[in-house]
Structures are given as C-alpha cells and as structure tokens.
Amino acid sequence: MSKTHTLCHIDDISDPGAKGFEVKQGRQTLGLFVVKKDGQVYAYKNECPHARVNLEWQEDDFLDMDNSLIQCSVHGALFVIESGDCAGGPCNGQGLQKLELQINDDKMLVLQL
Ligand code: FES
C-alpha cells in the first residue's frame, strides 16, 4: 500500500536549487532530495549508485558549481537533473533512483511511497 509524505512548500526550494529530506518508512528512514529547475521539481533517493552513500557533503548541497547537474560530493559523479541518468564520473552508466513527487493545491510537495 502506498503512503504519502508532505515534504515542504515548493517555494522553500530555490530555483535552481535542492533540498534534502528524511522520511520514515516503517522502521527505516529514507533519505531523499528534491531538485527544482525551471519551475519543475524532481525527487531522488539520496544514494549514489557508485558507492551507495549520500551525495551531499553539506546540507542541501546536491548540485554542481553552475547548478546544471546533480553532483556526488564523494568522487564527483554527475547526473542529469531531469532524469537522474549518469552524465559523467564513476557512476558507470547507472542513475539515481527517481521517486514519485506530486504538487498539491497548496503547492506542497508530496512524496508517494
Ligand atoms: S560515491 Fe558517488 S561518485 Fe563515488
């Protein structure tokens, strides 16, 4: 059975920008992040496919220097914001795990798990 989690208001994330979250899933906690670019939002599990670790080294710091790609802080793997596909570095053609995100009438971001 799917469950929804309200994350934040869409305006709480700068454009372009990103924000990390942790949500409870039964006894486990799921780390994820949301990226906003050109008014669109994308959610991914916070786990680099290279070494299965969190991507950010500082809070909410998921993007590269010019905010055009998602970047892993550990070995520099790059991912396309819109798809999560690997765009360079040691991710070996793998991508980030995309999560289903909706925006409700109050412009709250709602994650569907
Ligand atoms: S852990 Fe992300 S690039 Fe190595």
Side-chain angles (χ1 to χ4, degrees), residues 48 50-51 53 72 74-77 90:
C48 181
H50 178 229
V53 296
C72 177
V74 182
H75 307 109

Side-chain angles (χ1 to χ4, degrees), residues 27-84:
R27 292 183 176 187
Q28 298 187 322
T29 300
L30 171 69
L32 65 122
F33 63 101
V34 176
V35 181
K36 185 158 77 170
K37 181 184 176 191
D38 298 329
Q40 302 295 309
V41 285
Y42 310 90
Y44 297 99
K45 186 175 178 181
N46 186 3
E47 182 180 272
C48 181
H50 178 229
R52 304 286 166 199
V53 296
N54 289 0
L55 287 99
E56 83 279 30
W57 68 280
Q58 287 189 70
E59 189 176 353
D60 300 335
D61 192 3
F62 292 93
L63 302 179
D64 65 352
M65 295 269 284
D66 57 3
N67 291 328
S68 61
L69 293 164
I70 297 164
Q71 183 169 34
C72 177
S73 63
V74 182
H75 307 109
L78 296 166
F79 304 91
V80 176
I81 288 175
E82 293 83 353
S83 65

